Amino acid sequence: ASPPPAPAPALPAAPARQAGAALQPYLEALRVGQGKAVAKAKKALALAGEPAIAPVVDLLKARRPGTRRAAIEVLAKIGPKAVEAAKGVLERAMSDPDDSVRTAALDALLSHRPGGRAVVLAAWEAASAEDRVLLLEGLDARRPAIRVLVELALSDPSPEVRIVALSVATDTEGVPELQRAVVRALSDPQRSVRQAATLVLPSLDGAPRDVFPDLLRAARDRNPLLRLPAANLLQANVTADDAGPILEL
C-alpha cells in the first residue's frame, strides 16, 4: 500500500503576539495599501496586540489620511492599553484636517480610554467656536461615542456650532436623543438655526413622544417648508392613543 499523502503545509497564521519583521508587511499595507489589503492588515495588527502598538502609533504621522484613520482603528481594536499609549497623538488628531481621522480619534478616545470623555469635553470647552465647528464637520454621528459630542454641540452657545451639529445629526435612525434635539431646534432663538433644523427635519425617521407638541406647533407654522415635514413626521409617529392628547394641545 502506498504511504498516505503528506499533509498540506499550514497557511501562515496572523501574527498574533509576533513582533519586528513579521509585522512589517502589514504595516506597509496599512501605509500604502487599499481595500482588502488594508482590511487584512488591520485585522492582523489588531491580533498582534501589544507588539504592534508602537509601530502603529508611528503611522499616525503618515501623510495619507487613510493611513492615519486605519492606524487609529487598529489601536481601538487592540483596546484601552493601545489608546492610552497613543493618547497624546490621538488628542492632536481631534483637530486633524480630515473628518474621517477626527471621527476615528474621537471615537477611540470616547470609547476606549478611561477618562477619555473628560479629555474630549475639556478640549471642546477650551476650543473657540471656530475650532468647535471644524471639529464637528463631517463627523459620523452613527457611532455611539460620537453622538455624545453631537448632542453637546446641539446645545452649544454658538449658533454656528449648532447649525453644523444639525448637519451632522441628519442620520438619526433609532437615536431618539438626536431626533429630540433636531425637533427642539425648530424653536431655537436664532432664525438661522431654525432654518437649518427645518432642512434636517425631512430626514428624520422617527420622533420621541415628548416632542410631539413641538412638532404640532411646527405643523401649524405659516412656513410650508416647515409645516409639511413636521406634519408628515407627526402623522407617521402618532398612534391612536396619542391622538386624543395631541388634539387637546
Side-chain angles (χ1 to χ4, degrees):
S2 57
L11 293 174
R17 305 297 173 186
Q18 293 181 16
L23 296 178
Q24 289 308 311
Y26 301 103
L27 294 167
E28 188 63 19
L30 215 61
R31 185 180 293 110
V32 300
Q34 295 182 347
K36 292 182 179 180
V38 171
K40 181 180 178 181
K42 286 165 58 177
K43 182 177 181 180
L45 290 165
L47 287 173
E50 190 171 343
I53 294 176
V56 171
V57 169
D58 284 341
L59 290 179
L60 292 172
K61 304 171 186 174
R63 296 183 63 181
R64 294 175 68 234
T67 300
R68 300 197 299 274
R69 181 188 69 246
I72 293 171
E73 290 169 348
V74 169
L75 293 171
K77 286 182 179 180
I78 293 174
K81 187 172 185 177
V83 173
E84 183 66 24
K87 62 181 180 181
V89 186
L90 289 174
E91 288 170 19
R92 290 193 292 275
M94 289 193 300
S95 56
D96 194 279
D98 184 86
D99 52 27
S100 68
V101 177
R102 293 197 305 276
T103 289
L106 287 163
D107 198 29
L109 287 167
L110 290 166
S111 302
H112 299 285
R113 186 191 168 203
R117 177 167 179 164
V119 169
V120 171
L121 295 185
W124 175 265
E125 291 172 2
S128 65
E130 182 180 3
D131 286 340
R132 293 198 299 277
V133 166
L134 291 174
L135 180 61
L136 280 174
E137 286 181 338
L139 291 183
D140 185 353
R142 292 171 297 179
R143 300 195 185 195
I146 299 300
R147 291 176 199 154
V148 174
L149 193 60
V150 176
E151 289 172 38
L152 182 67
L154 286 166
S155 59
D156 193 87
S158 165
E160 290 78 13
V161 174
R162 297 199 299 276
I163 288 170
V164 176
L166 283 166
S167 71
V168 174
T170 52
D171 189 351
T172 62
E173 183 176 355
V175 189
E177 296 83 3
L178 293 183
Q179 294 168 347
R180 182 179 293 112
V182 171
V183 172
R184 288 187 171 156
L186 296 170
S187 303
D188 193 277
Q190 289 287 331
R191 181 181 180 185
S192 57
V193 179
R194 295 196 301 272
Q195 290 174 333
T198 300
L199 294 175
V200 172
L201 194 64
S203 71
L204 298 188
D205 68 331
R209 295 179 65 184
D210 60 338
V211 295
F212 284 177
D214 302 85
L215 284 174
L216 185 61
R217 282 193 294 272
R220 293 169 172 169
D221 196 270
R222 293 181 178 181
N223 180 0
L225 295 177
L226 171 57
R227 189 171 64 242
L228 184 58
N232 288 341
L233 187 59
L234 192 61
Q235 184 177 19
N237 288 275
V238 168
T239 65
D241 292 337
D242 297 321
I246 286 180
L247 290 174
E248 294 173 4
L249 294 174

